[in-house]
Amino acid sequence: MSLEEKKQTDGQVNGVSPVSSGGREQMIIFTVGEQRYCIPILSIKEIREFEDPTYLPHCPAYVEGAINIRGNIVTVVNLANYLGTAPQADNERRVVIIIEDGASRATCGLLVDSVIGITEIALDEIQPISVDGGAAELSGLVSIGEYVIRILRLDTVLSRLLGDQAVSTAAG
């Protein structure tokens, strides 16, 4: 059962409600290289094992290619290449996180090194960061245990990956 089917069936993932009251949100934590990132679980359609995508000529270096998911062609982006981070070498745990922009319904696959798990983050614990420092892809940072987790800004990432026009077209 895909993550999307699980959310539709009972509104829960691993027995936890995706969004809780009190300004908390369920996030999935994953690694890209040696760094940890998270995104809201409600943006995720499913998580798939990595499969070799079909090559797409003349695309940026971070585009791995395209895969067919139940008749839908989805572009797969190597998030390590996109973010300028070295991926983990010889990693057999790589997965593709299929994300969907809520407003535009644009879909994209993010190739990550591994998924760590699901956590609930208090929204008031998120520390803002300056986009002047080149962090437009991040909406903030949060400390979880001994780690500082980067919160990926999916609307920015999707518009850069798919182009503003593709996201606008999908919305219309």
Side-chain angles (χ1 to χ4, degrees):
M1 176 180 294
S2 75
L3 193 59
E4 182 68 20
E5 292 167 334
K6 178 75 173 152
K7 286 189 292 189
Q8 289 174 354
T9 305
D10 62 8
Q12 296 187 351
V13 177
N14 292 342
V16 182
S17 174
V19 177
S20 300
S21 61
R24 301 180 73 80
E25 187 168 9
Q26 289 292 317
M27 301 271 197
I28 189 162
I29 301 173
F30 56 89
T31 61
V32 176
E34 299 301 317
Q35 309 299 318
R36 292 178 182 227
Y37 293 86
C38 67
I39 56 176
I41 202 163
L42 292 176
S43 300
I44 300 172
K45 290 187 70 162
E46 67 181 283
I47 298 172
R48 303 173 57 90
E49 288 184 24
F50 178 69
E51 60 187 77
D52 286 331
T54 300
Y55 172 74
L56 299 173
H58 309 291
C59 285
Y62 54 76
V63 174
E64 287 285 318
I67 58 174
N68 183 337
I69 302 176
R70 293 178 294 284
N72 296 314
I73 304 299
V74 176
T75 302
V76 177
V77 172
N78 185 320
L79 205 51
N81 290 346
Y82 175 75
L83 296 172
T85 302
Q88 295 172 356
D90 298 325
N91 180 1
E92 295 180 9
R93 296 180 1 172
R94 296 190 313 168
V95 295
V96 177
I97 300 174
I98 307 299
I99 59 170
E100 182 177 71
D101 181 61
S104 68
R105 310 297 287 173
T107 304
C108 183
L110 302 177
L111 176 61
V112 302
D113 288 317
S114 66
V115 171
I116 295 172
I118 298 171
T119 190
E120 188 173 79
I121 295 176
L123 299 178
D124 61 356
E125 292 178 5
I126 297 173
Q127 300 293 313
I129 56 173
S130 169
V131 295
D132 295 338
E137 288 88 1
L138 303 178
S139 63
L141 303 170
V142 66
S143 291
I144 299 176
E146 62 189 59
Y147 297 100
V148 174
I149 311 294
R150 294 149 193 84
I151 301 171
L152 211 55
R153 183 178 302 211
L154 288 180
D155 57 345
T156 301
V157 171
L158 276 172
S159 68
R160 287 187 177 182
L161 294 176
L162 303 175
D164 291 322
Q165 186 171 2
V167 172
S168 299
T169 302

